[in-house]
């Protein structure tokens, strides 16, 4: 492949778009806005979300998990976020967070892609780091 054909990393326009989508996700998560959270995930069998205690395959499993989660996600503060754009249509968002009232650090990774309906999450992973002794 000719180097000129490689995707451009970190196009500022794409970074701005995906950062705004990440902000939108954080707001919806904090408010437990289920319809908004649904709208941010790609509605397909290809979508995967690995959570702290669950492995969810396909949009339907992710949606059902959110509907059955009493009270939504625990409140959290984002400590650090890295957005990386890969070409014009794919980006990753990786962040560290801390749940309010906890000393544990959490991590979240998302893969976003530009679909005909706009930016969507197609893969997500959430984990908590072990406690420090």
């Amino acid at each position: 492949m000719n180097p000129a054909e490689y995707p451009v990393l970190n196009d500022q326009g794409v970074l701005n778009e995906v950062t705004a989508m990440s902000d939108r996700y954080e707001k919806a998560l904090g408010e437990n806005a289920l319809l908004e959270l649904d709208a941010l995930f790609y509605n397909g069998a290809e979508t995967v979300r690995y959570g702290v205690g669950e492995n969810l395959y396909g949009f339907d499993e992710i949606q059902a998990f959110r509907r059955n989660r009493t009270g939504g996600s625990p409140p959290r503060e984002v400590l650090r976020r890295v957005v990386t754009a890969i070409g014009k249509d794919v980006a990753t968002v990786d962040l560290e967070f801390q749940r309010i009232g906890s000393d544990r650090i959490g991590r979240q990774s998302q893969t976003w892609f530009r679909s005909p309906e706009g930016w969507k999450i197609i893969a997500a992973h959430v984990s908590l780091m072990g406690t420090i002794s």
Side-chain angles (χ1 to χ4, degrees), residues 8-113:
V8 173
L9 285 180
N10 295 329
D11 174 87
Q12 192 59 54
V14 176
L15 290 175
N16 293 344
E17 290 175 24
V18 175
T19 298
M21 295 305 295
S22 177
D23 289 343
R24 189 172 150 190
Y25 175 85
E26 286 300 313
K27 183 177 188 299
L29 187 68
E31 296 173 355
N32 198 33
L34 299 178
L35 293 176
E36 177 73 352
L37 289 167
D38 288 348
L40 295 172
F41 277 79
Y42 178 68
N43 187 349
E46 304 85 351
T47 306
V48 176
R49 180 186 175 277
Y50 294 146
V52 174
E54 65 284 340
N55 296 330
L56 306 170
Y57 295 92
F59 177 85
D60 293 340
E61 286 186 17
I62 296 167
Q63 184 181 53
F65 168 78
R66 292 212 187 278
R67 298 291 182 281
N68 293 323
R69 186 177 195 183
T70 306
S73 180
R76 70 189 197 177
E77 176 186 358
V78 174
L79 303 175
R80 185 173 182 175
R81 175 172 59 182
V82 176
V83 179
T84 304
I86 306 162
K88 296 280 189 184
D89 300 316
V90 177
T92 61
V93 176
D94 297 286
L95 59 83
E96 289 181 49
F97 64 87
Q98 187 168 18
R99 290 179 173 169
I100 305 301
S102 174
D103 59 352
R104 295 179 74 186
I105 301 297
R107 300 170 292 188
Q108 174 182 288
S109 296
Q110 297 172 329
T111 302
W112 291 77
F113 82 105

